[in-house]
Amino acid sequence: EAQVTQNPRYLITVTGKKLTVTCSQNMNHEYMSWYRQDPGLGLRQIYYSMNVEVTDKGDVPEGYKVSRKEKRNFPLILESPSPNQTSLYFCASSLLNPGLAGLTYEQYFGPGTRLTVT
Amino acid sequence: AQRVTQPEKLLSVFKGAPVELKCNYSYSGSPELFWYVQYSRQRLQLLLRHISRESIKGFTADLNKGETSFHLKKPFAQEEDSAMYYCALSGRASGTYKYIFGTGTRLKVLA
């Protein structure tokens, strides 16, 4: 079954304790992305990756790191989490559109990770 | 600046009434536009994209480049349409390849 998986689904941690949220897709998608979803703010892109070893900042990258060593995996790393990073996080992947008009085809989303930082 | 604006946070309609969810965008180029839906406690899923010109679950959306809008419409709302709806754009600009979402509109269809 084609899917995007994230782990863990729920995480409660304390300020400053490093954590990693994993994301994996089995659709051979080039493009992968992380978003955070906050009430009233919608989804905001944190980081994205066009392919292996190619990553770039989204609109809210501060306090986050990513890596793309393999095509299927795109972990999100919080080196020193703070309470303002409490949020619902979604990973997504898509094929790249080689055409000029757009960038990607539809994004496939993971189930989300609810993170609470106390 | 690239931006997607959904002016309504909440839209309540009665079952059988027409629905229009507004989306305006700002982009220097020709982006690809999408509508995503998120039902309660579920992940986001694609509803439709402008380039395919499909009608999904009775919803349609027309890209108006002059008004930079991509409003979502359905002639007769159903209770199962109650969900969160996000407009999004994808495009290349200034060497970046961001995917930008609006803040979302919660649609409530009342019996």
Side-chain angles (χ1 to χ4, degrees), chain A residues 4 31 35 37 40-43 45 48 50 57 59 90 97 99-107 109-111, chain B residues 9 30-32 34 36 38 42-46 49 86 90-92 95-104:
Chain A
V4 178
Y31 191 91
Y35 301 89
Q37 184 181 38
L41 298 176
L43 276 84
Q45 193 173 40
Y48 65 90
M50 302 289 289
K57 297 176 182 178
D59 288 329
F90 287 100
N97 181 348
L100 292 176
L103 168 64
T104 68
Y105 294 106
E106 67 178 279
Q107 297 222 333
F109 282 83
Chain B
K9 286 189 177 180
S30 296
E32 190 150 354
F34 305 84
Y36 286 84
Q38 187 178 30
Q42 294 186 26
R43 67 185 77 188
L44 277 84
Q45 54 187 284
L46 179 73
R49 50 195 290 239
Y86 290 97
S90 167
R92 288 179 281 198
T96 66
Y97 300 80
K98 294 180 181 177
Y99 209 100
I100 300 171
F101 283 82
T103 51

Side-chain angles (χ1 to χ4, degrees), chain A residues 45-97:
Chain A
Q45 193 173 40
I46 302 170
Y47 269 95
Y48 65 90
S49 170
M50 302 289 289
N51 215 323
V52 175
E53 303 291 1
V54 181
T55 63
D56 205 351
K57 297 176 182 178
D59 288 329
V60 288
E62 294 78 21
Y64 304 94
K65 283 176 57 177
V66 293
S67 69
R68 188 93 181 271
K69 294 187 170 64
E70 304 165 283
K71 197 171 186 178
R72 63 184 293 125
N73 296 324
F74 190 45
L76 179 69
I77 304 156
L78 283 72
E79 295 268 2
S80 183
S82 62
N84 65 12
Q85 293 178 297
T86 292
S87 187
L88 179 59
Y89 291 86
F90 287 100
C91 179
S93 72
S94 68
L95 288 170
L96 283 175
N97 181 348

Side-chain angles (χ1 to χ4, degrees), chain B residues 1-2 5 7 14 22 29 32 42 44 52 57 75 92-94 100:
Chain B
Q2 303 168 62
T5 302
F14 285 102
K22 291 185 167 52
E32 190 150 354
Q42 294 186 26
L44 277 84
S52 64
K57 299 185 180 183
R92 288 179 281 198
S94 304
I100 300 171

